[in-house]
Amino acid sequence: MGRYILKRLLWMIPVVLGVTILVFSIMYLIPGDPAKMMLSPEATPEEIEAKREELGLNDPYLVRLGKFLGGIVFRFDFGESWVYNQPVTKELVSRFPRTLTIAAICIGLQIVIGIPLGIIAAVNQNGLGDRISMFIALFGISLPNFWIALMLILFFSVRLGWLPPFGIDGFKYYILPCVANAFPGIATQARQTRSSMLEVIRSDYITTARAKGMSETQILLKHALPNAMLPVITIIGNGMGMLLAGTVVIESIFSIPGIGMYLVGGINARDYNIVQSSVIFLALAFTFIMLLVDLAYAFIDPRIKAQFARKHKRSQHA
């Protein structure tokens, strides 16, 4: 098992490195001059050139990339914001708990609501429960989260006045953003759970369990659900990454000072350090989440345990 964990940790290195180089290259190649945007329209060419020299924009591509990678690898330093004149790392660390809170609540809603919906749909295949569950799933997949967010604000904040429409000052401020961000994930989770459960329910060992006289509840909880969890765990892990990305839109709509809103502000101001660092920070978080998913596979799937146990025995005999 130790080798499995080490292998997954080593695989994170090229993934994060590739994301870093890709994001840096995109920001390097896009047209426009940040120095001009930071200065007033009346700035002279000499002032613009001096600003470019101060920001290091005149350095060659490889030099700028090397400085950026060196700061991240050796000091975990993402540089300084050109617009706010503050260390980007400090801002990311202070804002990340809000983004992570939204993503964690959303993944909890996805599990608590999406998995039961999928089970109900599978157990009642082609019945009323199946049709209602899949209608909800189709509704959630078809509608983008920003539209759901706007409709929730109009109904629960403007019309009813029950919940605050923006800001962050307590748990009630998280309700509308989390519901809006989690709805597509709930729909995806329900569809995947239904598909996995239907495949398992038709298996021979489920038929054998019924022949032994086991109740449907016992069959469902002890045999069907555990064996259907592997694809479901994958969707949960991928969903966490999608939810982290979805917060970019949700935080902007609800004015939540998280990484998403910080990223959007950096894009509007053409602040390369903010944009690059925010994307890389989210990529790091996502790779750690997928590492946890892989570890969950190792503990749930006996085939992975058996595979590494055989390799361990071979190495001992050798």
Side-chain angles (χ1 to χ4, degrees):
M1 189 61 66
R3 287 186 177 183
Y4 182 79
I5 296 173
L6 180 62
K7 182 180 178 181
R8 289 296 180 266
L9 285 171
L10 291 176
W11 267 111
M12 289 175 59
I13 297 174
V15 171
V16 175
L17 182 62
V19 170
T20 303
I21 295 174
L22 179 62
V23 173
F24 183 89
S25 301
I26 291 173
M27 297 305 298
Y28 180 84
L29 294 172
I30 59 175
D33 190 348
K36 287 184 179 180
M37 298 187 65
M38 295 173 66
L39 298 173
S40 64
E42 292 80 17
T44 63
E46 291 77 13
E47 291 174 332
I48 295 174
E49 187 63 24
K51 192 65 176 179
R52 288 182 57 84
E53 191 67 31
E54 177 189 342
L55 298 176
L57 296 175
N58 290 331
D59 292 337
Y61 168 80
L62 292 177
V63 173
R64 290 172 58 184
L65 178 60
K67 290 180 179 178
F68 187 66
L69 289 175
I72 296 175
V73 173
F74 297 110
R75 301 185 303 276
F76 198 67
D77 181 12
F78 289 96
E80 190 173 282
S81 169
W82 299 342
V83 177
Y84 304 111
N85 294 321
Q86 293 180 349
V88 175
T89 306
K90 181 180 177 181
E91 284 291 318
L92 291 174
V93 172
S94 65
R95 291 168 178 267
F96 185 63
R98 302 186 187 102
T99 301
L100 186 62
T101 300
I102 294 174
I105 295 174
C106 290
I107 205 68
L109 292 174
Q110 181 176 325
I111 293 170
V112 171
I113 300 175
I115 292 178
L117 277 177
I119 294 173
I120 292 171
V123 172
N124 301 279
Q125 186 182 9
N126 298 325
L128 181 62
D130 187 12
R131 293 176 183 177
I132 293 174
S133 299
M134 288 303 99
F135 175 79
I136 295 172
L138 181 63
F139 187 76
I141 290 175
S142 303
L143 299 178
N145 59 357
F146 68 85
W147 186 87
I148 297 173
L150 294 174
M151 294 301 103
L152 290 175
I153 291 173
L154 288 174
F155 187 74
F156 290 102
S157 299
V158 177
R159 191 179 183 89
L160 299 178
W162 290 355
L163 296 169
F166 57 84
I168 195 74
D169 189 25
F171 179 75
K172 63 181 180 179
Y173 287 82
Y174 283 101
I175 295 176
L176 292 185
C178 291
V179 171
N181 202 27
F183 207 83
I186 291 171
T188 304
Q189 190 71 65
R191 289 167 63 91
Q192 181 60 58
T193 304
R194 178 184 182 272
S195 176
S196 299
M197 287 293 295
L198 285 176
E199 184 178 350
V200 170
I201 286 173
R202 297 174 182 140
S203 301
D204 293 338
Y205 61 87
I206 297 295
T207 305
T208 303
R210 287 197 181 100
K212 289 181 178 180
M214 295 181 67
S215 66
E216 288 297 322
T217 303
Q218 287 179 314
I219 293 172
L220 183 67
L221 297 178
K222 291 185 178 181
H223 296 284
L225 188 58
N227 287 284
M229 283 303 293
L230 286 179
V232 173
I233 290 173
T234 304
I235 293 297
I236 292 173
N238 290 334
M240 190 67 174
M242 293 174 63
L243 291 171
L244 283 172
T247 56
V248 174
V249 176
I250 293 299
E251 288 176 1
S252 300
I253 293 174
F254 290 95
S255 298
I256 297 173
I259 291 182
M261 192 172 178
Y262 190 53
L263 173 60
V264 172
I267 293 172
N268 293 332
R270 294 296 293 275
D271 193 324
Y272 288 3
N273 284 342
I274 290 179
V275 176
Q276 294 167 176
S277 305
S278 299
V279 174
I280 294 167
F281 201 85
L282 291 174
L284 276 170
F286 182 59
T287 53
F288 274 109
I289 290 167
M290 294 312 296
L291 173 64
L292 295 177
V293 171
D294 286 339
L295 296 181
Y297 278 163
F299 285 103
I300 292 175
D301 193 346
R303 292 172 296 182
I304 296 178
K305 292 181 181 179
Q307 176 185 356
F308 280 88
R310 286 196 301 269
K311 288 183 179 179
H312 182 65
K313 289 181 179 179
R314 288 173 186 171
S315 62
Q316 285 182 337
H317 289 306

